[in-house]
Amino acid sequence: MTQLTSQNLPGPSRRGLLRAAGAGSALLTLAACRSAVSHAENARAGGAATAPRRGGTLTIAHGVDFIPGLLFSQSSMNLPHRLVFNTLTRYDDDLRPRPELAESWDISPDGTSVTLRLRRGVTYHDGRPFTADDVAFALENLRAPERAAQLRSTAEAVTGLEKRGDHEVRLTLAHPVGNLFDLFEFMIITDRHSVERAVTGDVLNGTGPFRFDEWRPGSRLRFSRNDAYWQPERPWLDAVDVRVITQSDALLSSLRTGQSQLSFSVVGRDAATLERDAQFAISTYDTGSGASYVGANTAVRPTDDKTVRQAIAWALDRERVVEQVYGGYGLPSAAPWPRSSPAYSEEGRTHYRHDPDRARALLREAGAEHISLPLGYSTTPGSTVIAEMVQYDLEQVGIRVELQPYDPANAQRRLISQEMPALWTMNHGFAQVTPSTLAVSAYPFNEARNTSRFRSDAYTELVQDAWRRADPLDDEAMERYREISDLLLDEAFIIDIAVLASLQVARTGVHGVTLNKFGYLNLDDAYLA
């Protein structure tokens, strides 16, 4: 099993790595992009991987339904994106960008322009060729406010696009941004002629390995093999069936009975029950998939008081959550960063520990003893248990908690529109990529408009300075990440609980499955054997 790694990014600067990747990218193949997870999976599945076989339908149990209106926003419904759509680049396990629809690239020395050379011979599922115009549209599309794209600010930093034929573009930036390749991996390349039908779920037309056949809301999605895919002989599978199963027990039963073969929605405590079952391979991804947290609305009383928020942070028993909810598949942490992040520090991870006495003392100091607070949560598998555990911990320090459940779509809408109550608990992503992306883009942390309604000139200045660096790993960038972490821990408008392992549960015989850093499922090399 691949555990969350304790190693940071490799020694050379990210910028140097980007240039090296660009110079040699034409020699690389997508096989090099596969996560180490598939090796662990194959080992658990019974020794060395068998030779790939063509054919078969892979059935996936997923805990949340597809919401086409959130196609460009990044949410827990992103799993099917990479089946239909490609992206320009894709990170490897060391966060080095690798080719996808962009075969190679050059970055100017001052970081204000990048030239992308695009893959030739790629077509959309309707037969239309992919060209530089589609890259221009993808950027324009993410800049549109109605798309609610969390990486919109990075897309807006691209102020000019020069076409050099159909397969080369030069992007000009208003200023350097350290997370440009986060954007290239996040930004799915959609068909500009049918995008309005994509956000209603009628038509999903991409260049990816599978064609979108059917969506039955609340029930299933169906995809079939794209015979004209640009990767030779791929995909191996004939079809993919995604079944929407929102109840933990039903999802686990679907896997046990063989009705489903793969899931990323199994709660850790349930996965732990399968560890000794030879029918299953359980594996995790090195860089984590996000983190669970309690959010605090700073625009209402008494959570507008930093001392109250800090008291809540001291009241939470993070180790118990990781053990009892995640079955040990996670890292108790007061900070958002996985150990693979350049922003990670052990001091940040352990800044808040379970200390009910200290929590009570802070509540007395704030004059907030015996208060009542609402706690919103999404009714996805496992979330109810976390909400109940947070409720228990807070009641031990004198905070009465009223649970407010939301269906996943409503929870996401409230998160985006800043309509959460005084407290809520959910999962956040983006800590597993360039650290500035979390603070400049993620709904809970966005310095300009976050769900907590937290505003701070100091926070904005730190985030903008970290984001506008050409080298996201130089000494000054690292110092900004430390300062951002310190501010997040002190202000406690987002109170992290645990960094989550991205948990993959597959029946034996499923091979070659990977996720990208934004949770897009890659089945280019997947097969059944």
Side-chain angles (χ1 to χ4, degrees):
M1 182 185 306
T2 305
Q3 299 292 343
L4 291 175
T5 181
S6 61
Q7 66 182 23
N8 281 335
L9 292 171
S13 73
R14 175 81 67 82
R15 191 177 187 180
L17 291 172
L18 302 187
R19 287 176 177 165
S25 57
L27 301 177
L28 298 172
T29 68
L30 283 180
C33 305
R34 293 179 58 188
S35 165
V37 70
S38 45
H39 301 298
E41 166 204 339
N42 290 331
R44 290 289 305 267
T50 60
R53 297 179 183 174
R54 183 173 301 285
T57 297
L58 177 65
T59 304
I60 302 169
H62 196 38
V64 292
D65 196 9
F66 175 62
I67 299 182
L70 298 177
L71 190 65
F72 303 102
S73 67
Q74 175 70 18
S75 69
S76 56
M77 299 82 173
N78 279 2
L79 191 74
H81 284 32
R82 180 55 177 70
L83 304 184
V84 176
F85 305 104
N86 289 120
T87 57
L88 289 175
T89 59
R90 186 164 189 263
Y91 283 130
D92 67 12
D93 289 347
D94 294 320
L95 284 180
R96 292 174 297 196
R98 301 297 191 188
E100 191 152 302
L101 291 186
E103 287 189 304
S104 63
W105 45 85
D106 294 313
I107 304 173
S108 66
D110 64 357
T112 59
S113 71
V114 57
T115 300
L116 299 168
R117 286 171 285 280
L118 306 178
R119 190 176 299 277
R120 297 173 183 269
V122 177
T123 58
Y124 283 87
H125 297 161
D126 66 357
R128 184 177 68 78
F130 160 73
T131 69
D133 288 331
D134 297 300
V135 177
F137 172 77
L139 287 165
E140 178 186 351
N141 185 54
L142 282 196
R143 287 194 286 258
E146 63 270 22
R147 301 303 187 216
Q150 295 188 75
L151 278 162
R152 180 183 167 195
S153 56
T154 303
E156 288 179 331
V158 180
T159 55
L161 185 147
E162 176 191 353
K163 284 178 51 182
R164 297 175 172 176
D166 283 342
H167 296 95
E168 183 171 313
V169 293
R170 180 177 183 272
L171 307 180
T172 304
L173 285 75
H175 49 78
V177 292
N179 67 340
L180 190 61
F181 283 87
D182 291 5
L183 173 69
F184 291 163
E185 174 148 350
F186 171 86
M187 185 173 68
I188 55 175
I189 304 299
T190 53
D191 170 34
R192 61 187 185 276
H193 301 298
S194 61
V195 66
E196 297 305 329
R197 297 184 68 191
V199 295
T200 62
D202 294 329
V203 173
L204 299 181
N205 185 28
T207 62
F210 294 93
R211 297 172 180 268
F212 169 71
D213 292 336
E214 181 185 29
W215 170 48
R216 295 182 183 176
S219 177
R220 63 184 289 186
L221 295 99
R222 181 82 177 181
F223 306 88
S224 60
R225 185 176 190 274
N226 172 19
D227 291 324
Y229 193 42
W230 51 269
Q231 282 209 70
E233 300 187 63
R234 304 296 195 278
W236 300 112
L237 297 168
D238 287 337
V240 179
D241 194 3
V242 179
R243 297 182 177 180
V244 178
I245 306 175
T246 58
Q247 300 299 315
S248 296
D249 291 346
L251 193 146
L252 190 62
S253 176
S254 178
L255 287 165
R256 285 189 183 279
T257 60
Q259 296 178 50
S260 301
Q261 299 152 294
L262 173 71
S263 183
F264 295 90
S265 302
V266 178
V267 179
R269 61 177 182 173
D270 290 339
T273 68
L274 303 176
E275 287 178 349
R276 297 183 183 278
D277 191 330
Q279 298 183 89
F280 293 95
I282 303 172
S283 44
T284 62
Y285 285 73
D286 294 348
T287 53
S289 63
S292 62
Y293 71 94
V294 172
N297 186 339
T298 66
V300 301
R301 298 186 66 182
T303 47
D304 61 338
D305 186 336
K306 178 172 72 175
T307 305
V308 173
R309 302 195 298 266
Q310 292 174 342
I312 293 169
W314 285 108
L316 299 180
D317 188 345
R318 293 171 177 80
E319 283 75 12
R320 187 166 64 95
V321 170
V322 169
E323 183 61 31
Q324 296 185 9
V325 179
Y326 298 120
Y329 290 106
L331 180 70
S333 180
W337 318 109
R339 280 180 163 146
S340 59
S341 170
Y344 174 86
S345 75
E346 187 65 10
E347 293 77 13
R349 185 184 79 80
T350 59
H351 181 84
Y352 291 109
R353 299 175 302 280
H354 184 219
D355 191 337
D357 290 339
R358 189 162 184 175
R360 294 187 194 97
L362 287 172
L363 290 172
R364 283 196 298 274
E365 178 184 327
E369 296 175 275
H370 309 297
I371 57 178
S372 296
L373 294 174
L375 176 72
Y377 67 97
S378 174
T379 55
T380 53
S383 297
T384 300
V385 179
I386 292 178
E388 291 172 347
M389 294 180 77
V390 171
Q391 179 188 41
Y392 175 84
D393 285 345
L394 297 188
E395 288 185 346
Q396 302 313 300
V397 300
I399 300 176
R400 185 174 181 277
V401 173
E402 176 193 355
L403 296 181
Q404 295 187 352
Y406 308 125
D407 66 78
N410 190 26
Q412 191 72 14
R413 182 188 64 78
R414 285 175 174 270
L415 188 78
I416 296 171
S417 58
Q418 304 177 320
E419 295 177 358
M420 284 297 189
L423 297 176
W424 74 94
T425 181
M426 290 182 74
N427 295 342
H428 70 73
F430 287 7
Q432 67 271 32
V433 288
T434 307
S436 61
T437 292
L438 180 83
V440 81
S441 300
Y443 297 131
F445 295 90
N446 189 310
E447 53 83 17
R449 188 178 187 277
N450 55 67
T451 310
S452 298
R453 298 174 183 260
F454 173 78
R455 298 291 181 271
S456 161
D457 290 343
Y459 184 47
T460 293
E461 183 176 348
L462 286 173
V463 170
Q464 288 289 322
D465 193 36
W467 177 51
R468 293 172 183 246
R469 310 202 67 80
D471 185 347
L473 291 181
D474 67 15
D475 290 344
E476 291 191 36
M478 298 298 288
E479 178 62 15
R480 295 295 90 74
Y481 302 153
R482 185 190 64 76
E483 292 172 321
I484 289 170
S485 292
D486 289 347
L487 187 147
L488 290 173
L489 291 166
D490 180 57
E491 293 290 350
F493 62 94
I494 296 297
I495 303 165
D496 273 278
I497 299 174
V499 174
L500 308 181
S502 187
L503 188 59
Q504 176 176 308
V505 178
R507 292 187 68 85
T508 53
V510 177
H511 301 272
V513 174
T514 63
L515 287 179
N516 82 348
K517 296 298 180 286
F518 292 103
Y520 302 165
L521 179 61
N522 185 338
L523 297 180
D524 286 17
D525 298 317
Y527 63 95
L528 302 173

